Amino acid sequence: MTNQQRVGFRSRGLFGSSSHNENTAISISPLDTSDSASLQKAAKFMTNNFWLPNSNENDKNYGSIAFTVYVDMLDRYGPRMEAQKFDSCILEAHCSAGDDFKEKLVGLIGIDVVIFEMQENTLQSREESEATITGAVTTLKDLVDANQENVSQLLPSGMKAVVVLSNLVVSTSFRRMGIGAKLCLEAERFVKEGEGWGGFTDIYVRVESENLPARKLYQLLGYDEQWDEDSTIVKSDLDAGELVTCTRNIVIMKKSI
């Protein structure tokens, strides 16, 4: 699947129900991360539906958090990502049910490639993974030639590149329509068949242990819980006008694809 192809679905209340028409057409495609306007739109959607779902743009400090989210997405998925050895991607879901909802952004999911330390049962962060592969190569030529397709041959024994899903978010107005499930399933197809991807056999997701609805969704999609760990995560603090870190218990789930 190239970056311009879209996959279409009909929403029929999978894993729930919604007041919207059950035949609402949902299309899913990779976000054009080279377009700053598209990234800004995605960042605003993420802010409104994930970080600050109960706030509005007139709230104090909204702009500060929204800008932080945009900068993070720009750093993670924007042009600078081309210099990284591991790919990242965003898939976006659009609704096209009638004139009022034509091409409305209704969901996002992030796809990252990171290093899995098999003996330690540890998923490295994106930054740690980039540092690991940079330190693993022995010559400048190997570093220049390193890419997602040959990186497993360059990694030390006991490590492999795996896919991790992140930041699954659906519009608060379009939930319980199965859009989150469709995004996950299309992400699995994308990493198996997408241009520049392929070759991955496992896909992981990290879920807060107290987020029971999310854990149930992934279980229904075929993910099995592997282990749990206390980990640092990011939360929004509207009063402080920033994203802050805190410690939560995280469940790591895996699916073979």
Side-chain angles (χ1 to χ4, degrees), residues 240-254:
E242 61 184 0
L243 301 181
V244 299
T245 58
C246 58
T247 300
R248 292 286 189 274
N249 187 256
I250 302 296
V251 176
I252 289 77
M253 306 180 73
K254 183 184 83 168

Side-chain angles (χ1 to χ4, degrees), residues 83-142:
Q84 299 175 357
K85 301 305 179 185
F86 293 112
D87 280 346
S88 294
C89 175
I90 300 175
L91 296 184
E92 55 181 1
H94 286 87
C95 167
S96 55
D99 294 337
D100 291 339
F101 303 112
K102 185 176 181 180
E103 291 302 302
K104 180 181 181 67
L105 179 61
V106 295
L108 294 173
I109 191 169
I111 305 172
D112 296 308
V113 178
V114 302
I115 291 175
F116 174 51
E117 299 180 45
M118 292 178 277
Q119 292 185 341
E120 301 296 328
N121 264 359
T122 299
L123 290 172
Q124 294 187 359
S125 67
R126 292 180 301 109
E127 294 79 10
E128 291 170 336
S129 298
E130 289 291 329
T132 296
I133 187 58
T134 299
V137 299
T138 57
T139 69
L140 179 60
K141 182 179 185 303
D142 286 337

Side-chain angles (χ1 to χ4, degrees), residues 1-3 85-88 113 147-150 190-200:
M1 183 173 70
T2 68
N3 285 349
K85 301 305 179 185
F86 293 112
D87 280 346
S88 294
V113 178
N147 58 62
Q148 195 160 278
E149 295 181 355
N150 68 11
F190 182 80
V191 300
K192 291 178 66 176
E193 303 174 9
E195 182 179 353
W197 292 73
F200 293 100

